[in-house]
Amino acid sequence: MRIFFNGCSITWGAELEEKEEQRYSTLIGHQQNAEVVNIAKSGVSNDWIVEKTISWFSDHNYKYGADLAIIQFTEPSRWIWYDPNDKERRICIQKSDPKKFSQNPEEYRASRTYYKSIYSDLMGIQNRWKNQYILETFFKFRNIPYIFCDMKSHHYDQKIQDCNWKTLCAQQQTLNLMWDNSILESYSANSDRYAPNGHPSAKGHQRIAEYLNDMIEEWQEF
């Protein structure tokens, strides 16, 4: 069995002392005695996650692809763009911080302009569900079972009810991995499941792995 994982820094394993050994994808692989492919990357957008997932599966035929895909969607406000040299660039809130200017001035300027003049919550939510619809359609076409997860975002406050792309999605309720009403539950009740900068701790990854492993076991029964 081969399980494919993609997502942002959560699935990548940020803040873990032994990232590749402690992240939930590796733990699930051990529990399922499965080969694991994890192409997650820190700070990426939903556009990146979906594009790279489709690219990976397109480069591997069904026989050598994966038996299950677990996809963690990320912060809706992030975006991917390409500079004049076709170099991949990322826009996220962190890159709009003036303290980051010296590290990458091009991405700093683009991020500041994007959040000031272009981005809105409606735009982010619509793009989030559009990406899910695209990936659902792709997985169904390839007959690949999948599990979708989310990171809890401040954009998910339900103030935006109308989302045309969401109405097209088969799975309109996705698992929240972190914070209130999530697999890890609240920080106040389970602070040991969270690392200092807000990512899942080693215990948090263990909890996520246990929860998703139970879902996989139920899926295999059918």
Side-chain angles (χ1 to χ4, degrees):
M1 183 180 186
R2 177 186 282 179
I3 307 176
F4 174 89
F5 294 82
N6 201 0
C8 66
S9 56
I10 296 170
T11 301
W12 179 71
E15 295 191 77
L16 293 175
E17 291 184 3
E18 299 179 10
K19 173 171 63 69
E20 294 187 2
E21 291 299 318
Q22 295 178 314
R23 59 191 182 185
Y24 72 86
S25 58
T26 302
L27 301 179
I28 291 173
H30 292 328
Q31 292 165 344
Q32 292 294 323
N33 192 28
E35 179 185 352
V36 167
V37 175
N38 184 336
I39 68 167
K41 193 173 181 180
S42 182
V44 296
S45 64
N46 288 318
D47 298 273
W48 187 96
I49 291 168
V50 170
E51 193 276 327
K52 299 302 182 185
T53 296
I54 292 176
S55 293
W56 188 90
F57 277 95
S58 297
D59 290 339
H60 299 76
N61 62 35
Y62 182 77
K63 181 178 179 181
Y64 299 106
D67 303 290
L68 173 66
I70 299 179
I71 307 298
Q72 174 247 310
F73 289 103
T74 189
E75 167 60 52
S77 67
R78 293 175 180 173
W79 193 44
I80 185 174
W81 61 288
Y82 299 88
D83 66 17
N85 296 317
D86 293 333
K87 182 178 179 180
E88 184 180 289
R89 301 286 191 173
R90 287 174 285 162
I91 285 181
C92 60
I93 292 292
Q94 294 88 339
K95 292 182 182 296
S96 65
D97 185 345
K99 297 177 182 178
K100 307 289 184 179
F101 179 81
S102 60
Q103 297 180 16
N104 201 318
E106 296 88 355
E107 292 188 353
Y108 165 77
R109 288 192 292 267
S111 295
R112 295 281 289 182
T113 300
Y114 178 72
Y115 290 116
K116 181 179 179 180
S117 304
I118 300 173
Y119 180 77
S120 70
D121 282 352
L122 177 59
M123 175 182 171
I125 292 296
Q126 289 280 10
N127 192 53
R128 155 69 179 82
W129 290 103
K130 178 175 67 176
N131 274 302
Q132 178 170 318
Y133 176 71
I134 291 170
L135 206 48
E136 280 185 353
T137 302
F138 177 79
F139 283 147
K140 289 177 182 178
F141 178 75
R142 293 292 297 265
N143 196 29
I144 299 167
Y146 60 87
I147 296 173
F148 288 156
C149 306
D150 257 313
M151 62 172 286
K152 184 72 174 179
S153 166
H154 68 279
H155 295 274
Y156 286 92
D157 58 6
Q158 303 302 315
K159 69 179 181 180
I160 301 173
Q161 297 295 332
D162 296 326
C163 179
N164 294 328
W165 287 104
K166 183 177 180 178
T167 63
L168 297 174
C169 292
Q171 184 180 342
Q172 298 185 14
Q173 297 294 327
T174 52
L175 294 170
N176 277 328
L177 297 185
M178 303 176 63
W179 312 114
D180 297 339
N181 302 315
S182 69
I183 292 175
L184 296 190
E185 302 177 333
S186 68
Y187 176 85
S188 59
N190 297 279
S191 60
D192 61 338
R193 295 178 180 176
Y194 294 86
N197 291 324
H199 295 93
S201 64
K203 287 187 177 180
H205 278 267
Q206 291 173 4
R207 168 62 179 161
I208 293 171
E210 291 168 359
Y211 192 99
L212 293 178
N213 188 62
D214 288 342
M215 291 186 64
I216 296 170
E217 296 287 350
E218 292 179 7
W219 165 69
Q220 289 175 331
E221 291 177 1
F222 293 98

